[in-house]
Amino acid sequence: MSWHTRVTQGNSENLGGNVVRTKKAVTANTLGVKRSALGEIGNKVVSRSNSTVTTKPGALTKDIVKPVQRSASVRSITTVKAPKEDFVKPLPKINVTNRVKRTFSNTSVASVVLTSHRAEAVEEAEPATAKTHDFEDVDKADESNPLLVANYAFEIYEYLLSLEDKFPIKENFLEGQQVAPRMRTVLVDWLVDVQLQYHLLQETLYLAVQILDRYLQAVPNVAKKYLQLVGVAAMYVASKYEEVYMPDISDFVFITDSAYTKQQLLAMEVQIVKALEFQFSRPISLTFLRRYSKVVEAHPMHHCFSKYFLELAMLEYSLCHVRPSLTAAAALYISLCLYELNDKKGPDHWDAKMVHYSSYTLTDIKPVAQTLAAVIEKASTSKFEAVRKKYSSSKMMKVSLRQELSSETLKSIAQGISPF
């Protein structure tokens, strides 16, 4: 995930503004409902005594340190003549003005990043007026803040889109394996609970699920009894990548009810980083959602709705192969259809400006939105309740309990029918 995006959003939206980073001891009471799907995932209370160190009076003495006497030869400094030519040449100056003009005039992300056939499809779908219209620079307001590197925002997202092609997840990647899609769903549902119990960042959860899928794709012979070990090791690696104060490795062993040892967890970590060749930079859908919400000037309710939809999408095996950027676009599109913004309907918001910044047209979004809407419909009756309970709290604006999720609009999207 890019540093620019993390600085832009901060940690305020993680767990509804909680910034408590201190590690908490997890007990059987705080863990909540026992999860019988992966065996008995309960935790035993382990008492840990605090040892204190006492010192006897007079143990500490004050030593007077005398200054070091320098010799005359050391004091004398020899003057070194400057070389005739500079070994380090100054970097060439970058013409930022020309790049910004190119970025926000008539060039879309699709024409710069995507493959030729994908770019041609977007150009054909864009209105003729979009090619001559000067789009609003959504990063212009951030130019005064050097931490947001507004001049490079467009290039950063170009690079993130290219990483999606570099590290793809194939469709039906679990086919022929011992691990079934339902077992993966059970594990991801449990990882959501782990993220809540240890107060980890949302980025850590997204990255952990992504590492899990990429490892199962790269190593197709994972045994069922080691699936939870792979999941907790993926969360351990993601914590190292995203967290400032990550839980100790003993806490990850503890959360599995000591089903695995510390040595097994460390060995699995080594296997993961070797299988993925230390490449953990594939972008997550939350990064793109933040960008799209900024472009469309979405209400916090739209953003929270979309985050709920994205976490439901993580549980769905049929959506694993979809690009994170496209999943984020579909989630925001559904939220705009369910919750009105500025007296405009959902499709009206996906204008030429959104196509320019997202590289996706409504034709690209609607098939994914249809599948995602069907997943949202089933969430209220699903046995996997971790995500729904997480977003039923006031910190998450109780979006999982809102009546819009049972509206005719959502049903129409799930059936592939335009609700407007």
Side-chain angles (χ1 to χ4, degrees), residues 242-278:
E242 296 287 355
E243 300 290 332
V244 177
Y245 302 105
M246 61 168 291
D248 189 73
I249 186 172
S250 59
D251 295 325
F252 287 98
V253 175
F254 182 75
I255 201 68
T256 63
D257 202 12
S258 298
Y260 308 99
T261 64
K262 176 181 176 181
Q263 289 71 23
Q264 285 178 308
L265 180 55
L266 291 174
M268 182 55 68
E269 178 193 13
V270 173
Q271 291 184 30
I272 288 176
V273 297
K274 284 185 176 180
L276 302 185
E277 299 178 347
F278 293 84

PDB file of all heavy atoms in Angstrom, residues 242-278:
ATOM      1  N   GLU A 242       2.253  -3.814   8.001  1.00  0.00           N
ATOM      2  CA  GLU A 242       1.361  -2.669   8.167  1.00  0.00           C
ATOM      3  C   GLU A 242       1.408  -2.015   9.552  1.00  0.00           C
ATOM      4  O   GLU A 242       1.269  -0.803   9.656  1.00  0.00           O
ATOM      5  CB  GLU A 242      -0.083  -3.085   7.882  1.00  0.00           C
ATOM      6  CG  GLU A 242      -0.347  -3.529   6.454  1.00  0.00           C
ATOM      7  CD  GLU A 242      -0.365  -2.375   5.467  1.00  0.00           C
ATOM      8  OE1 GLU A 242      -0.273  -1.210   5.910  1.00  0.00           O
ATOM      9  OE2 GLU A 242      -0.474  -2.628   4.258  1.00  0.00           O
ATOM     10  N   GLU A 243       1.571  -2.803  10.609  1.00  0.00           N
ATOM     11  CA  GLU A 243       1.409  -2.280  11.962  1.00  0.00           C
ATOM     12  C   GLU A 243       2.648  -1.556  12.453  1.00  0.00           C
ATOM     13  O   GLU A 243       3.778  -1.868  12.060  1.00  0.00           O
ATOM     14  CB  GLU A 243       1.078  -3.419  12.931  1.00  0.00           C
ATOM     15  CG  GLU A 243      -0.192  -4.182  12.600  1.00  0.00           C
ATOM     16  CD  GLU A 243      -1.448  -3.348  12.838  1.00  0.00           C
ATOM     17  OE1 GLU A 243      -1.421  -2.454  13.694  1.00  0.00           O
ATOM     18  OE2 GLU A 243      -2.459  -3.619  12.171  1.00  0.00           O
ATOM     19  N   VAL A 244       2.419  -0.593  13.348  1.00  0.00           N
ATOM     20  CA  VAL A 244       3.520   0.066  14.046  1.00  0.00           C
ATOM     21  C   VAL A 244       3.863  -0.728  15.301  1.00  0.00           C
ATOM     22  O   VAL A 244       5.022  -1.021  15.576  1.00  0.00           O
ATOM     23  CB  VAL A 244       3.145   1.520  14.411  1.00  0.00           C
ATOM     24  CG1 VAL A 244       4.268   2.180  15.195  1.00  0.00           C
ATOM     25  CG2 VAL A 244       2.837   2.315  13.155  1.00  0.00           C
ATOM     26  N   TYR A 245       2.840  -1.090  16.073  1.00  0.00           N
ATOM     27  CA  TYR A 245       3.005  -1.921  17.259  1.00  0.00           C
ATOM     28  C   TYR A 245       2.236  -3.216  17.035  1.00  0.00           C
ATOM     29  O   TYR A 245       1.044  -3.293  17.322  1.00  0.00           O
ATOM     30  CB  TYR A 245       2.504  -1.198  18.508  1.00  0.00           C
ATOM     31  CG  TYR A 245       3.203   0.119  18.765  1.00  0.00           C
ATOM     32  CD1 TYR A 245       2.565   1.326  18.501  1.00  0.00           C
ATOM     33  CD2 TYR A 245       4.507   0.154  19.255  1.00  0.00           C
ATOM     34  CE1 TYR A 245       3.208   2.531  18.719  1.00  0.00           C
ATOM     35  CE2 TYR A 245       5.148   1.357  19.478  1.00  0.00           C
ATOM     36  CZ  TYR A 245       4.502   2.544  19.205  1.00  0.00           C
ATOM     37  OH  TYR A 245       5.139   3.727  19.420  1.00  0.00           O
ATOM     38  N   MET A 246       2.898  -4.194  16.511  1.00  0.00           N
ATOM     39  CA  MET A 246       2.245  -5.464  16.195  1.00  0.00           C
ATOM     40  C   MET A 246       2.225  -6.380  17.416  1.00  0.00           C
ATOM     41  O   MET A 246       3.074  -6.268  18.314  1.00  0.00           O
ATOM     42  CB  MET A 246       2.961  -6.150  15.044  1.00  0.00           C
ATOM     43  CG  MET A 246       4.405  -6.493  15.319  1.00  0.00           C
ATOM     44  SD  MET A 246       5.077  -7.588  14.066  1.00  0.00           S
ATOM     45  CE  MET A 246       4.198  -9.088  14.391  1.00  0.00           C
ATOM     46  N   PRO A 247       1.265  -7.308  17.485  1.00  0.00           N
ATOM     47  CA  PRO A 247       1.238  -8.269  18.585  1.00  0.00           C
ATOM     48  C   PRO A 247       2.467  -9.169  18.556  1.00  0.00           C
ATOM     49  O   PRO A 247       3.076  -9.394  17.509  1.00  0.00           O
ATOM     50  CB  PRO A 247      -0.047  -9.072  18.338  1.00  0.00           C
ATOM     51  CG  PRO A 247      -0.870  -8.215  17.445  1.00  0.00           C
ATOM     52  CD  PRO A 247       0.089  -7.440  16.617  1.00  0.00           C
ATOM     53  N   ASP A 248       2.800  -9.700  19.714  1.00  0.00           N
ATOM     54  CA  ASP A 248       3.923 -10.627  19.806  1.00  0.00           C
ATOM     55  C   ASP A 248       3.541 -11.959  19.170  1.00  0.00           C
ATOM     56  O   ASP A 248       2.358 -12.310  19.077  1.00  0.00           O
ATOM     57  CB  ASP A 248       4.321 -10.826  21.271  1.00  0.00           C
ATOM     58  CG  ASP A 248       5.610 -11.608  21.408  1.00  0.00           C
ATOM     59  OD1 ASP A 248       6.675 -11.038  21.126  1.00  0.00           O
ATOM     60  OD2 ASP A 248       5.540 -12.790  21.797  1.00  0.00           O
ATOM     61  N   ILE A 249       4.539 -12.716  18.760  1.00  0.00           N
ATOM     62  CA  ILE A 249       4.268 -13.998  18.121  1.00  0.00           C
ATOM     63  C   ILE A 249       3.546 -14.955  19.066  1.00  0.00           C
ATOM     64  O   ILE A 249       2.739 -15.789  18.639  1.00  0.00           O
ATOM     65  CB  ILE A 249       5.577 -14.628  17.597  1.00  0.00           C
ATOM     66  CG1 ILE A 249       5.269 -15.888  16.790  1.00  0.00           C
ATOM     67  CG2 ILE A 249       6.550 -14.907  18.731  1.00  0.00           C
ATOM     68  CD1 ILE A 249       6.473 -16.471  16.088  1.00  0.00           C
ATOM     69  N   SER A 250       3.797 -14.819  20.364  1.00  0.00           N
ATOM     70  CA  SER A 250       3.102 -15.674  21.330  1.00  0.00           C
ATOM     71  C   SER A 250       1.604 -15.397  21.346  1.00  0.00           C
ATOM     72  O   SER A 250       0.804 -16.291  21.647  1.00  0.00           O
ATOM     73  CB  SER A 250       3.688 -15.468  22.730  1.00  0.00           C
ATOM     74  OG  SER A 250       3.554 -14.110  23.132  1.00  0.00           O
ATOM     75  N   ASP A 251       1.204 -14.168  21.020  1.00  0.00           N
ATOM     76  CA  ASP A 251      -0.219 -13.846  20.957  1.00  0.00           C
ATOM     77  C   ASP A 251      -0.896 -14.543  19.783  1.00  0.00           C
ATOM     78  O   ASP A 251      -2.061 -14.937  19.874  1.00  0.00           O
ATOM     79  CB  ASP A 251      -0.411 -12.329  20.838  1.00  0.00           C
ATOM     80  CG  ASP A 251       0.062 -11.589  22.077  1.00  0.00           C
ATOM     81  OD1 ASP A 251      -0.104 -12.137  23.175  1.00  0.00           O
ATOM     82  OD2 ASP A 251       0.608 -10.484  21.939  1.00  0.00           O
ATOM     83  N   PHE A 252      -0.177 -14.688  18.678  1.00  0.00           N
ATOM     84  CA  PHE A 252      -0.744 -15.396  17.535  1.00  0.00           C
ATOM     85  C   PHE A 252      -0.855 -16.894  17.824  1.00  0.00           C
ATOM     86  O   PHE A 252      -1.793 -17.544  17.357  1.00  0.00           O
ATOM     87  CB  PHE A 252       0.112 -15.150  16.288  1.00  0.00           C
ATOM     88  CG  PHE A 252      -0.030 -13.769  15.715  1.00  0.00           C
ATOM     89  CD1 PHE A 252       0.899 -12.780  16.000  1.00  0.00           C
ATOM     90  CD2 PHE A 252      -1.099 -13.458  14.892  1.00  0.00           C
ATOM     91  CE1 PHE A 252       0.771 -11.507  15.474  1.00  0.00           C
ATOM     92  CE2 PHE A 252      -1.236 -12.179  14.363  1.00  0.00           C
ATOM     93  CZ  PHE A 252      -0.305 -11.209  14.661  1.00  0.00           C
ATOM     94  N   VAL A 253       0.096 -17.441  18.581  1.00  0.00           N
ATOM     95  CA  VAL A 253      -0.021 -18.836  19.000  1.00  0.00           C
ATOM     96  C   VAL A 253      -1.180 -19.001  19.975  1.00  0.00           C
ATOM     97  O   VAL A 253      -1.946 -19.962  19.911  1.00  0.00           O
ATOM     98  CB  VAL A 253       1.305 -19.313  19.637  1.00  0.00           C
ATOM     99  CG1 VAL A 253       1.163 -20.726  20.197  1.00  0.00           C
ATOM    100  CG2 VAL A 253       2.437 -19.266  18.622  1.00  0.00           C
ATOM    101  N   PHE A 254      -1.334 -18.034  20.850  1.00  0.00           N
ATOM    102  CA  PHE A 254      -2.390 -18.069  21.864  1.00  0.00           C
ATOM    103  C   PHE A 254      -3.778 -18.020  21.227  1.00  0.00           C
ATOM    104  O   PHE A 254      -4.704 -18.705  21.677  1.00  0.00           O
ATOM    105  CB  PHE A 254      -2.186 -16.885  22.817  1.00  0.00           C
ATOM    106  CG  PHE A 254      -3.178 -16.824  23.942  1.00  0.00           C
ATOM    107  CD1 PHE A 254      -3.074 -17.693  25.014  1.00  0.00           C
ATOM    108  CD2 PHE A 254      -4.200 -15.890  23.936  1.00  0.00           C
ATOM    109  CE1 PHE A 254      -3.985 -17.629  26.061  1.00  0.00           C
ATOM    110  CE2 PHE A 254      -5.116 -15.832  24.967  1.00  0.00           C
ATOM    111  CZ  PHE A 254      -5.004 -16.702  26.028  1.00  0.00           C
ATOM    112  N   ILE A 255      -3.947 -17.219  20.162  1.00  0.00           N
ATOM    113  CA  ILE A 255      -5.264 -17.052  19.551  1.00  0.00           C
ATOM    114  C   ILE A 255      -5.710 -18.323  18.849  1.00  0.00           C
ATOM    115  O   ILE A 255      -6.912 -18.524  18.600  1.00  0.00           O
ATOM    116  CB  ILE A 255      -5.247 -15.862  18.554  1.00  0.00           C
ATOM    117  CG1 ILE A 255      -6.660 -15.327  18.301  1.00  0.00           C
ATOM    118  CG2 ILE A 255      -4.589 -16.243  17.248  1.00  0.00           C
ATOM    119  CD1 ILE A 255      -7.289 -14.666  19.479  1.00  0.00           C
ATOM    120  N   THR A 256      -4.788 -19.214  18.528  1.00  0.00           N
ATOM    121  CA  THR A 256      -5.148 -20.504  17.920  1.00  0.00           C
ATOM    122  C   THR A 256      -5.390 -21.580  18.969  1.00  0.00           C
ATOM    123  O   THR A 256      -5.523 -22.759  18.619  1.00  0.00           O
ATOM    124  CB  THR A 256      -4.040 -20.984  16.971  1.00  0.00           C
ATOM    125  OG1 THR A 256      -2.843 -21.208  17.715  1.00  0.00           O
ATOM    126  CG2 THR A 256      -3.774 -19.971  15.874  1.00  0.00           C
ATOM    127  N   ASP A 257      -5.441 -21.176  20.251  1.00  0.00           N
ATOM    128  CA  ASP A 257      -5.623 -22.121  21.354  1.00  0.00           C
ATOM    129  C   ASP A 257      -4.471 -23.118  21.393  1.00  0.00           C
ATOM    130  O   ASP A 257      -4.655 -24.299  21.697  1.00  0.00           O
ATOM    131  CB  ASP A 257      -6.959 -22.856  21.231  1.00  0.00           C
ATOM    132  CG  ASP A 257      -7.421 -23.428  22.576  1.00  0.00           C
ATOM    133  OD1 ASP A 257      -6.817 -23.053  23.608  1.00  0.00           O
ATOM    134  OD2 ASP A 257      -8.343 -24.244  22.585  1.00  0.00           O
ATOM    135  N   SER A 258      -3.286 -22.606  21.036  1.00  0.00           N
ATOM    136  CA  SER A 258      -2.051 -23.403  21.050  1.00  0.00           C
ATOM    137  C   SER A 258      -2.161 -24.647  20.175  1.00  0.00           C
ATOM    138  O   SER A 258      -1.562 -25.691  20.475  1.00  0.00           O
ATOM    139  CB  SER A 258      -1.679 -23.796  22.495  1.00  0.00           C
ATOM    140  OG  SER A 258      -1.443 -22.642  23.273  1.00  0.00           O
ATOM    141  N   ALA A 259      -2.929 -24.537  19.100  1.00  0.00           N
ATOM    142  CA  ALA A 259      -3.008 -25.657  18.162  1.00  0.00           C
ATOM    143  C   ALA A 259      -1.697 -25.837  17.407  1.00  0.00           C
ATOM    144  O   ALA A 259      -1.407 -26.931  16.910  1.00  0.00           O
ATOM    145  CB  ALA A 259      -4.151 -25.425  17.177  1.00  0.00           C
ATOM    146  N   TYR A 260      -0.911 -24.764  17.323  1.00  0.00           N
ATOM    147  CA  TYR A 260       0.391 -24.815  16.664  1.00  0.00           C
ATOM    148  C   TYR A 260       1.429 -24.195  17.592  1.00  0.00           C
ATOM    149  O   TYR A 260       1.106 -23.375  18.457  1.00  0.00           O
ATOM    150  CB  TYR A 260       0.350 -24.061  15.329  1.00  0.00           C
ATOM    151  CG  TYR A 260      -0.783 -24.481  14.425  1.00  0.00           C
ATOM    152  CD1 TYR A 260      -1.955 -23.737  14.360  1.00  0.00           C
ATOM    153  CD2 TYR A 260      -0.693 -25.627  13.658  1.00  0.00           C
ATOM    154  CE1 TYR A 260      -3.005 -24.116  13.540  1.00  0.00           C
ATOM    155  CE2 TYR A 260      -1.735 -26.022  12.835  1.00  0.00           C
ATOM    156  CZ  TYR A 260      -2.889 -25.265  12.785  1.00  0.00           C
ATOM    157  OH  TYR A 260      -3.929 -25.657  11.978  1.00  0.00           O
ATOM    158  N   THR A 261       2.665 -24.555  17.396  1.00  0.00           N
ATOM    159  CA  THR A 261       3.749 -24.034  18.217  1.00  0.00           C
ATOM    160  C   THR A 261       4.362 -22.791  17.572  1.00  0.00           C
ATOM    161  O   THR A 261       4.101 -22.485  16.402  1.00  0.00           O
ATOM    162  CB  THR A 261       4.837 -25.095  18.413  1.00  0.00           C
ATOM    163  OG1 THR A 261       5.430 -25.412  17.132  1.00  0.00           O
ATOM    164  CG2 THR A 261       4.256 -26.363  19.024  1.00  0.00           C
ATOM    165  N   LYS A 262       5.190 -22.139  18.345  1.00  0.00           N
ATOM    166  CA  LYS A 262       5.876 -20.952  17.836  1.00  0.00           C
ATOM    167  C   LYS A 262       6.808 -21.328  16.685  1.00  0.00           C
ATOM    168  O   LYS A 262       6.908 -20.589  15.695  1.00  0.00           O
ATOM    169  CB  LYS A 262       6.667 -20.308  18.981  1.00  0.00           C
ATOM    170  CG  LYS A 262       7.511 -19.120  18.577  1.00  0.00           C
ATOM    171  CD  LYS A 262       8.274 -18.564  19.772  1.00  0.00           C
ATOM    172  CE  LYS A 262       9.191 -17.428  19.355  1.00  0.00           C
ATOM    173  NZ  LYS A 262       9.970 -16.898  20.520  1.00  0.00           N
ATOM    174  N   GLN A 263       7.455 -22.463  16.798  1.00  0.00           N
ATOM    175  CA  GLN A 263       8.371 -22.906  15.751  1.00  0.00           C
ATOM    176  C   GLN A 263       7.616 -23.207  14.454  1.00  0.00           C
ATOM    177  O   GLN A 263       8.101 -22.903  13.354  1.00  0.00           O
ATOM    178  CB  GLN A 263       9.142 -24.149  16.206  1.00  0.00           C
ATOM    179  CG  GLN A 263      10.190 -23.894  17.292  1.00  0.00           C
ATOM    180  CD  GLN A 263       9.580 -23.573  18.659  1.00  0.00           C
ATOM    181  OE1 GLN A 263       8.419 -23.951  18.923  1.00  0.00           O
ATOM    182  NE2 GLN A 263      10.331 -22.908  19.510  1.00  0.00           N
ATOM    183  N   GLN A 264       6.420 -23.785  14.564  1.00  0.00           N
ATOM    184  CA  GLN A 264       5.626 -24.056  13.364  1.00  0.00           C
ATOM    185  C   GLN A 264       5.181 -22.763  12.688  1.00  0.00           C
ATOM    186  O   GLN A 264       5.165 -22.664  11.457  1.00  0.00           O
ATOM    187  CB  GLN A 264       4.404 -24.893  13.736  1.00  0.00           C
ATOM    188  CG  GLN A 264       4.696 -26.352  14.030  1.00  0.00           C
ATOM    189  CD  GLN A 264       3.448 -27.116  14.430  1.00  0.00           C
ATOM    190  OE1 GLN A 264       2.693 -26.706  15.332  1.00  0.00           O
ATOM    191  NE2 GLN A 264       3.194 -28.230  13.758  1.00  0.00           N
ATOM    192  N   LEU A 265       4.823 -21.765  13.498  1.00  0.00           N
ATOM    193  CA  LEU A 265       4.402 -20.482  12.939  1.00  0.00           C
ATOM    194  C   LEU A 265       5.551 -19.792  12.215  1.00  0.00           C
ATOM    195  O   LEU A 265       5.382 -19.243  11.114  1.00  0.00           O
ATOM    196  CB  LEU A 265       3.853 -19.590  14.056  1.00  0.00           C
ATOM    197  CG  LEU A 265       3.366 -18.195  13.659  1.00  0.00           C
ATOM    198  CD1 LEU A 265       2.321 -18.276  12.556  1.00  0.00           C
ATOM    199  CD2 LEU A 265       2.801 -17.460  14.869  1.00  0.00           C
ATOM    200  N   LEU A 266       6.738 -19.836  12.820  1.00  0.00           N
ATOM    201  CA  LEU A 266       7.893 -19.215  12.181  1.00  0.00           C
ATOM    202  C   LEU A 266       8.281 -19.959  10.904  1.00  0.00           C
ATOM    203  O   LEU A 266       8.677 -19.336   9.906  1.00  0.00           O
ATOM    204  CB  LEU A 266       9.075 -19.193  13.154  1.00  0.00           C
ATOM    205  CG  LEU A 266       8.940 -18.247  14.356  1.00  0.00           C
ATOM    206  CD1 LEU A 266      10.113 -18.425  15.315  1.00  0.00           C
ATOM    207  CD2 LEU A 266       8.851 -16.801  13.905  1.00  0.00           C
ATOM    208  N   ALA A 267       8.165 -21.276  10.930  1.00  0.00           N
ATOM    209  CA  ALA A 267       8.478 -22.055   9.731  1.00  0.00           C
ATOM    210  C   ALA A 267       7.496 -21.757   8.603  1.00  0.00           C
ATOM    211  O   ALA A 267       7.888 -21.656   7.424  1.00  0.00           O
ATOM    212  CB  ALA A 267       8.474 -23.546  10.064  1.00  0.00           C
ATOM    213  N   MET A 268       6.212 -21.593   8.939  1.00  0.00           N
ATOM    214  CA  MET A 268       5.217 -21.248   7.929  1.00  0.00           C
ATOM    215  C   MET A 268       5.455 -19.844   7.386  1.00  0.00           C
ATOM    216  O   MET A 268       5.245 -19.587   6.191  1.00  0.00           O
ATOM    217  CB  MET A 268       3.819 -21.362   8.518  1.00  0.00           C
ATOM    218  CG  MET A 268       2.699 -21.058   7.531  1.00  0.00           C
ATOM    219  SD  MET A 268       2.768 -22.058   6.022  1.00  0.00           S
ATOM    220  CE  MET A 268       2.374 -23.677   6.697  1.00  0.00           C
ATOM    221  N   GLU A 269       5.901 -18.929   8.230  1.00  0.00           N
ATOM    222  CA  GLU A 269       6.231 -17.579   7.759  1.00  0.00           C
ATOM    223  C   GLU A 269       7.326 -17.633   6.702  1.00  0.00           C
ATOM    224  O   GLU A 269       7.253 -16.961   5.672  1.00  0.00           O
ATOM    225  CB  GLU A 269       6.669 -16.708   8.938  1.00  0.00           C
ATOM    226  CG  GLU A 269       7.068 -15.299   8.534  1.00  0.00           C
ATOM    227  CD  GLU A 269       7.786 -14.543   9.626  1.00  0.00           C
ATOM    228  OE1 GLU A 269       8.205 -15.177  10.618  1.00  0.00           O
ATOM    229  OE2 GLU A 269       7.946 -13.322   9.478  1.00  0.00           O
ATOM    230  N   VAL A 270       8.332 -18.459   6.944  1.00  0.00           N
ATOM    231  CA  VAL A 270       9.428 -18.613   5.981  1.00  0.00           C
ATOM    232  C   VAL A 270       8.904 -19.178   4.661  1.00  0.00           C
ATOM    233  O   VAL A 270       9.280 -18.722   3.568  1.00  0.00           O
ATOM    234  CB  VAL A 270      10.532 -19.516   6.566  1.00  0.00           C
ATOM    235  CG1 VAL A 270      11.590 -19.817   5.511  1.00  0.00           C
ATOM    236  CG2 VAL A 270      11.182 -18.858   7.777  1.00  0.00           C
ATOM    237  N   GLN A 271       8.021 -20.158   4.752  1.00  0.00           N
ATOM    238  CA  GLN A 271       7.465 -20.740   3.532  1.00  0.00           C
ATOM    239  C   GLN A 271       6.653 -19.721   2.736  1.00  0.00           C
ATOM    240  O   GLN A 271       6.705 -19.696   1.502  1.00  0.00           O
ATOM    241  CB  GLN A 271       6.584 -21.938   3.890  1.00  0.00           C
ATOM    242  CG  GLN A 271       7.348 -23.141   4.424  1.00  0.00           C
ATOM    243  CD  GLN A 271       6.444 -24.335   4.671  1.00  0.00           C
ATOM    244  OE1 GLN A 271       5.433 -24.507   4.000  1.00  0.00           O
ATOM    245  NE2 GLN A 271       6.810 -25.160   5.644  1.00  0.00           N
ATOM    246  N   ILE A 272       5.908 -18.864   3.439  1.00  0.00           N
ATOM    247  CA  ILE A 272       5.076 -17.865   2.757  1.00  0.00           C
ATOM    248  C   ILE A 272       5.944 -16.851   2.014  1.00  0.00           C
ATOM    249  O   ILE A 272       5.720 -16.562   0.833  1.00  0.00           O
ATOM    250  CB  ILE A 272       4.144 -17.166   3.758  1.00  0.00           C
ATOM    251  CG1 ILE A 272       3.038 -18.123   4.216  1.00  0.00           C
ATOM    252  CG2 ILE A 272       3.522 -15.910   3.144  1.00  0.00           C
ATOM    253  CD1 ILE A 272       2.119 -17.547   5.285  1.00  0.00           C
ATOM    254  N   VAL A 273       6.947 -16.313   2.693  1.00  0.00           N
ATOM    255  CA  VAL A 273       7.772 -15.282   2.059  1.00  0.00           C
ATOM    256  C   VAL A 273       8.587 -15.858   0.909  1.00  0.00           C
ATOM    257  O   VAL A 273       8.878 -15.162  -0.078  1.00  0.00           O
ATOM    258  CB  VAL A 273       8.682 -14.585   3.094  1.00  0.00           C
ATOM    259  CG1 VAL A 273       7.856 -13.855   4.129  1.00  0.00           C
ATOM    260  CG2 VAL A 273       9.619 -15.587   3.766  1.00  0.00           C
ATOM    261  N   LYS A 274       8.964 -17.134   1.001  1.00  0.00           N
ATOM    262  CA  LYS A 274       9.684 -17.754  -0.108  1.00  0.00           C
ATOM    263  C   LYS A 274       8.756 -18.018  -1.288  1.00  0.00           C
ATOM    264  O   LYS A 274       9.119 -17.784  -2.444  1.00  0.00           O
ATOM    265  CB  LYS A 274      10.333 -19.053   0.356  1.00  0.00           C
ATOM    266  CG  LYS A 274      11.583 -18.873   1.199  1.00  0.00           C
ATOM    267  CD  LYS A 274      12.221 -20.211   1.514  1.00  0.00           C
ATOM    268  CE  LYS A 274      13.525 -20.025   2.287  1.00  0.00           C
ATOM    269  NZ  LYS A 274      14.148 -21.348   2.609  1.00  0.00           N
ATOM    270  N   ALA A 275       7.546 -18.512  -0.993  1.00  0.00           N
ATOM    271  CA  ALA A 275       6.600 -18.819  -2.073  1.00  0.00           C
ATOM    272  C   ALA A 275       6.176 -17.566  -2.817  1.00  0.00           C
ATOM    273  O   ALA A 275       5.995 -17.584  -4.045  1.00  0.00           O
ATOM    274  CB  ALA A 275       5.382 -19.542  -1.513  1.00  0.00           C
ATOM    275  N   LEU A 276       6.040 -16.465  -2.097  1.00  0.00           N
ATOM    276  CA  LEU A 276       5.616 -15.203  -2.716  1.00  0.00           C
ATOM    277  C   LEU A 276       6.799 -14.314  -3.081  1.00  0.00           C
ATOM    278  O   LEU A 276       6.594 -13.179  -3.539  1.00  0.00           O
ATOM    279  CB  LEU A 276       4.665 -14.443  -1.779  1.00  0.00           C
ATOM    280  CG  LEU A 276       3.397 -15.201  -1.369  1.00  0.00           C
ATOM    281  CD1 LEU A 276       2.487 -14.299  -0.535  1.00  0.00           C
ATOM    282  CD2 LEU A 276       2.649 -15.721  -2.583  1.00  0.00           C
ATOM    283  N   GLU A 277       8.013 -14.805  -2.841  1.00  0.00           N
ATOM    284  CA  GLU A 277       9.242 -14.094  -3.223  1.00  0.00           C
ATOM    285  C   GLU A 277       9.302 -12.696  -2.610  1.00  0.00           C
ATOM    286  O   GLU A 277       9.734 -11.732  -3.251  1.00  0.00           O
ATOM    287  CB  GLU A 277       9.373 -14.029  -4.745  1.00  0.00           C
ATOM    288  CG  GLU A 277       9.457 -15.392  -5.404  1.00  0.00           C
ATOM    289  CD  GLU A 277       9.545 -15.306  -6.911  1.00  0.00           C
ATOM    290  OE1 GLU A 277       9.295 -14.202  -7.446  1.00  0.00           O
ATOM    291  OE2 GLU A 277       9.851 -16.324  -7.552  1.00  0.00           O
ATOM    292  N   PHE A 278       8.835 -12.586  -1.377  1.00  0.00           N
ATOM    293  CA  PHE A 278       8.879 -11.334  -0.614  1.00  0.00           C
ATOM    294  C   PHE A 278       8.103 -10.205  -1.289  1.00  0.00           C
ATOM    295  O   PHE A 278       8.343  -9.020  -1.028  1.00  0.00           O
ATOM    296  CB  PHE A 278      10.325 -10.892  -0.367  1.00  0.00           C
ATOM    297  CG  PHE A 278      11.101 -11.795   0.551  1.00  0.00           C
ATOM    298  CD1 PHE A 278      11.724 -12.933   0.066  1.00  0.00           C
ATOM    299  CD2 PHE A 278      11.198 -11.514   1.905  1.00  0.00           C
ATOM    300  CE1 PHE A 278      12.435 -13.771   0.915  1.00  0.00           C
ATOM    301  CE2 PHE A 278      11.908 -12.346   2.755  1.00  0.00           C
ATOM    302  CZ  PHE A 278      12.528 -13.481   2.267  1.00  0.00           C
TER     303      PHE A 278
END
